[in-house]
Amino acid sequence: MKILLLGANGQLGQTFLSQGGLAKRGELAAASRDGVLTVAAARGVVGDLGDLSALEALLAAERPDIVVNAAAYTAVDKAESDEANATRVNGEALGVIGHWAARKGALVVHYSTDYVFPGDASTPYAPDATTGPQGAYGRSKLAGEEALRNSDAAHLILRTAWVYSAVGNNFLRTMLRLGADRDELRVVADQSGTPTTTTLIVEGTLAAIDRYLAASETGRRALTGTYHLTASGQTTWHGFADAIFEGAAAKGLLAKRPTVHAIPSSEFPTPAKRPAYSVLDNASFATTFGYPLADWHDGLNATLDQLSNQ
């Protein structure tokens, strides 16, 4: 079996390569823009979702049985003034991947986002809840979902949220950097969601792929669709920051714990509107693929341990 990982140098792609699970399941090619891998754990190939003709050529050359798309345009604020590029990478590229996969009988595993929802709910969004993105990034990701579904390819669309890891640019690493230099920080407290580690996403994805491959042809079709792959529980950005500093101080990652002041979103304006409520109902994923999704505190503790051991 051949597997193609797109976006190998992103924080999710790096976790896939470090974890090693994809390579244990087949011949793995890992794509980055220049073919050079940050984590040298697979054969590197050139792959850029912004170049649709090159993307199709890559698929034709590699002929994967499974495409894991961890690549994305993730600059949420920049997308407001660069929506065409965001839509090409997050939307149109999925049409190219999906149509190729449909012709060849390949499985596409694709990651989407809480931003496809309007963010005005008060209970967790189910996978079949009505979408309504409030910004360019969310629209581009929804376009990708729709393109993949319309391609008739076998697919798993895995929506996630508030993603972080021990590598790359993310909220946890930003807080640790700021917390090392400041005694006080101001963090938004009126946006709710679920911090989710790339480790949980990778392990959940592997569980889903294994269940898919073990099923009959009819069973495989029944498994395809859209799921929510996040940790369990919920918090605010302020609550997440506070938990980061508490854990980091306890593990010796910070010399002292800064004070975190809660502020409303109105005091931290951004070009793109953030969802006020981003909690996703992940029950169907856990039930379907037999993979319990732990509380977000567990992922934070494990990630801080990883950083403290480096």
Side-chain angles (χ1 to χ4, degrees):
M1 182 172 67
K2 298 185 70 174
I3 303 170
L4 175 62
L5 171 65
L6 301 172
N9 285 344
Q11 61 175 343
L12 181 55
Q14 288 187 56
T15 304
F16 266 116
L17 293 179
S18 297
Q19 195 269 0
L22 286 177
K24 294 176 182 176
R25 288 162 173 79
E27 178 186 342
L28 176 62
S32 65
R33 288 184 177 180
D34 58 4
V36 177
L37 303 180
T38 302
V39 178
R43 177 170 58 86
V45 296
V46 176
D48 181 359
L49 267 65
D51 187 337
L52 301 184
S53 59
L55 174 60
E56 189 150 21
L58 172 64
L59 293 166
E62 294 297 327
R63 300 174 61 190
D65 300 292
I66 299 176
V67 179
V68 178
N69 181 33
Y73 184 112
T74 57
V76 174
D77 288 324
K78 184 180 178 182
E80 292 300 308
S81 58
D82 192 31
E83 188 165 358
N85 284 331
T87 301
R88 181 166 59 254
V89 173
N90 291 342
E92 295 169 26
L94 269 297
V96 171
I97 296 169
H99 286 297
W100 184 90
R103 293 194 303 270
K104 303 300 181 181
L107 170 68
V108 180
V109 180
H110 173 63
Y111 300 94
S112 191
T113 173
D114 55 305
Y115 278 72
V116 301
F117 294 114
D120 57 358
S122 56
T123 57
Y125 284 102
D128 61 355
T130 302
T131 55
Q134 299 298 295
Y137 170 70
R139 288 191 294 270
S140 73
K141 293 297 286 185
L142 183 58
E145 290 188 10
E146 293 171 344
L148 183 53
R149 292 189 192 101
N150 292 338
S151 73
D152 200 35
H155 64 270
L156 296 172
I157 295 172
L158 307 177
R159 294 189 186 124
T160 190
W162 293 28
V163 179
Y164 70 99
S165 72
V167 301
N169 297 317
N170 56 65
F171 185 82
L172 172 120
R173 285 169 59 85
T174 298
M175 288 298 103
L176 291 177
R177 175 174 54 81
L178 295 176
D181 296 331
R182 302 182 187 179
D183 294 325
E184 298 183 7
L185 291 94
R186 296 157 61 80
V187 181
V188 169
D190 56 1
Q191 296 173 18
S192 297
T194 307
T196 301
T197 66
T198 55
T199 298
L200 181 143
I201 297 170
V202 165
E203 292 178 351
T205 299
L206 293 174
I209 289 174
D210 287 345
R211 182 64 60 90
Y212 177 87
L213 293 175
S216 64
E217 188 63 32
T218 301
R220 288 182 176 184
R221 277 291 174 179
L223 291 173
T224 61
T226 302
Y227 298 89
H228 290 165
L229 177 49
T230 65
S232 297
Q234 67 182 76
T235 187
T236 64
W237 290 114
H238 175 268
F240 187 24
D242 210 38
I244 289 169
F245 293 135
E246 179 180 6
K251 296 176 188 297
L253 288 167
L254 291 176
K256 54 183 174 55
R257 179 179 175 180
T259 300
V260 187
H261 299 287
I263 64 170
S265 300
S266 58
E267 290 190 22
F268 190 74
T270 55
K273 181 180 179 181
R274 266 61 177 175
Y277 186 85
S278 287
V279 183
L280 304 181
D281 185 341
N282 59 19
S284 64
F285 182 93
T287 300
T288 301
F289 299 112
Y291 184 80
L293 295 166
D295 187 85
W296 68 269
H297 289 91
D298 296 343
L300 174 59
N301 187 58
T303 304
L304 292 173
D305 279 342
Q306 182 181 349
L307 287 168
S308 66
N309 291 330
Q310 289 178 354

